[in-house]
Amino acid sequence: MEARLRLAVAADGPAIAELARASVREVFPAYHDEVQTASAAEHITTLDTALIDDGTYYVYEAADEIVACGGWSRRNKLFNASTAGADERLLDPATEPARIRAMFVRGDWTRRGLGRGILTACVDAARAEGFTRLALMATLPGVPLYKAFGFTEVEPVDLPMPDGVVLEGVAMERPIDLEDYA
């Protein structure tokens, strides 16, 4: 079965939220304990509808089911579970990186290039709007994908969830025009 990439629409919201929660519950236990996994499933999987409204969020669909999702943002928010330093202002493409946001793949669809496909779409769209760099806050399960796609680690970061649980994360960046990213 083949998956098809498309822009997400508002009606996809419930399916995206369920996919994100299922992905965290399936993938996070290899990196985090039970309490951290439960907290992540609640707090980092909340869909930021501004991504869909802005036309910067993608889904892969197979047999009428969403099997992967993720996107980018031109707004000043790095990841869902935090409002620290975040606001709704538009980023300046000349001086600030676009943000990669909310990447999730269903457990039975991992390792099939879907994450890479979404990242490629994000690079192309952000480049078209004049951005020259990308930034993201990776949770540990995502670090291998992002490294393989040319992101470099900026620094390890503790990610406090709203319930006080702390996850390990990694701030990462990459230039948009990086050779051999695909």
Side-chain angles (χ1 to χ4, degrees), residues 36-120:
Q36 291 170 316
T37 297
S39 179
E42 181 177 345
H43 298 294
I44 69 169
T45 62
T46 302
L47 178 61
D48 183 349
T49 57
L51 297 170
I52 294 174
D53 295 343
D54 287 348
T56 60
Y57 202 68
Y58 302 91
V59 296
Y60 266 105
E61 191 174 52
D64 297 324
E65 291 183 351
I66 294 174
V67 296
C69 58
W72 70 282
S73 182
R74 60 180 74 86
R75 298 187 185 278
N76 188 37
K77 186 173 186 180
L78 195 52
F79 68 102
N80 275 356
S82 176
T83 56
D87 55 48
E88 289 299 310
R89 77 177 170 81
L90 295 177
L91 298 166
D92 178 358
T95 61
E96 296 175 291
R99 315 300 201 221
I100 297 296
R101 300 274 313 277
M103 299 275 298
F104 301 98
V105 178
R106 203 168 81 184
D108 59 337
W109 279 83
T110 59
R111 316 271 323 145
R112 297 187 192 194
L114 303 184
R116 182 173 290 275
I118 291 169
L119 288 171
T120 299

Side-chain angles (χ1 to χ4, degrees), residues 113 115-121 123-124 127 145-151 174-182:
R116 182 173 290 275
I118 291 169
L119 288 171
T120 299
V123 166
D124 293 344
R127 178 189 298 115
L145 167 67
Y146 300 130
K147 280 185 174 181
F149 199 75
F151 281 88
R174 68 158 272 175
I176 283 197
D177 288 326
L178 183 66
E179 293 297 320
D180 298 321
Y181 71 86

